[in-house]
Amino acid sequence: MTLLEVKNLSVGFPTPDGVVHAVNDISFSVNPGETLAIVGESGCGKTTTARAILRLIESESGQIMLDGHPIVGPGVKPVNGWRRDVQMVFQDPFASLDPRQRIRQILSEGPRALGLPGSDYDHGALVRLLDRVGLPPEALDRFPHEFSGGQRQRIAIARALAVSPKVLICDEPTS
């Protein structure tokens, strides 16, 4: 079965001069275990497509299915729990990490917000999560500004992985 299916997705933004179409009629599917890369020049709609899948912005038309269940489409109310299944690593990790929170809090926030069992991550679980992305245990008690750009990107990846998503959307993961 297809894990993620995007059919005829279109996204536009209203302006004083009319609607600017950022994404127009894009379709693709991703099966379990597959990797899909959307490649294109700056401004072609890659990030807009990702944000529409996550419902961070609304689409004009089209349908998005996750495990055969609609999450975007006319009159669709997504099934509970879909946010856990689709996570995103944003392009700018510094802007997406709360500068007032220690890494320990940042990594625990997603599971806690989603009410996942064991969401009060113990120290060992957080250390294993950091190990998966190549960061030392002492990173847990530091703040985002104390890391390099690449290390912040790994923290953002760890945050997305903390809820064990089925789909991981990476917006320029190598930036």
Side-chain angles (χ1 to χ4, degrees), residues 66 69-71 77-85 114 166:
L66 178 66
H69 300 287
I71 59 172
K77 290 187 178 179
V79 293
N80 286 338
W82 78 273
R83 285 226 185 260
R84 174 191 177 178
D85 293 335
L114 292 170
K166 293 178 182 179

Side-chain angles (χ1 to χ4, degrees), residues 1-170:
M1 173 158 49
T2 301
L3 180 60
L4 178 69
E5 187 171 7
V6 176
K7 294 181 187 176
N8 308 107
L9 183 69
S10 293
V11 180
F13 297 101
T15 70
D17 298 324
V19 176
V20 173
H21 295 280
V23 175
N24 193 19
D25 201 30
I26 187 172
S27 297
F28 59 86
S29 62
V30 180
N31 294 314
E34 285 186 339
T35 299
L36 171 73
I38 299 176
V39 180
E41 62 190 40
S42 180
C44 74
K46 301 179 299 287
T47 297
T48 301
T49 299
R51 289 177 180 265
I53 291 169
L54 288 158
R55 296 189 69 153
L56 297 175
I57 57 174
E58 290 301 318
S59 60
E60 291 180 314
S61 63
Q63 185 177 38
I64 300 173
M65 308 276 283
L66 178 66
D67 274 339
H69 300 287
I71 59 172
V72 171
V76 168
K77 290 187 178 179
V79 293
N80 286 338
W82 78 273
R83 285 226 185 260
R84 174 191 177 178
D85 293 335
V86 182
Q87 289 291 304
M88 183 164 174
V89 178
F90 292 91
Q91 185 174 24
D92 181 359
F94 194 65
S96 67
L97 299 173
D98 187 338
R100 298 164 298 186
Q101 290 186 335
R102 295 183 188 277
I103 303 311
R104 173 184 312 279
Q105 295 165 293
I106 290 170
L107 297 181
S108 298
E109 187 174 28
R112 189 176 308 111
L114 292 170
L116 298 179
S119 58
D120 290 326
Y121 264 32
D122 63 22
H123 183 76
L126 293 173
V127 167
R128 286 188 297 279
L129 194 54
L130 284 179
D131 186 56
R132 285 181 71 186
V133 297
L135 291 173
E138 43 286 355
L140 289 172
D141 295 316
R142 294 168 56 195
F143 291 94
H145 74 271
E146 298 179 70
F147 294 92
S148 70
Q151 289 172 319
R152 285 193 294 263
Q153 189 74 335
R154 286 186 268 160
I155 292 164
I157 293 168
R159 178 181 59 188
L161 293 175
V163 298
S164 301
K166 293 178 182 179
V167 176
L168 183 61
I169 297 174
C170 300

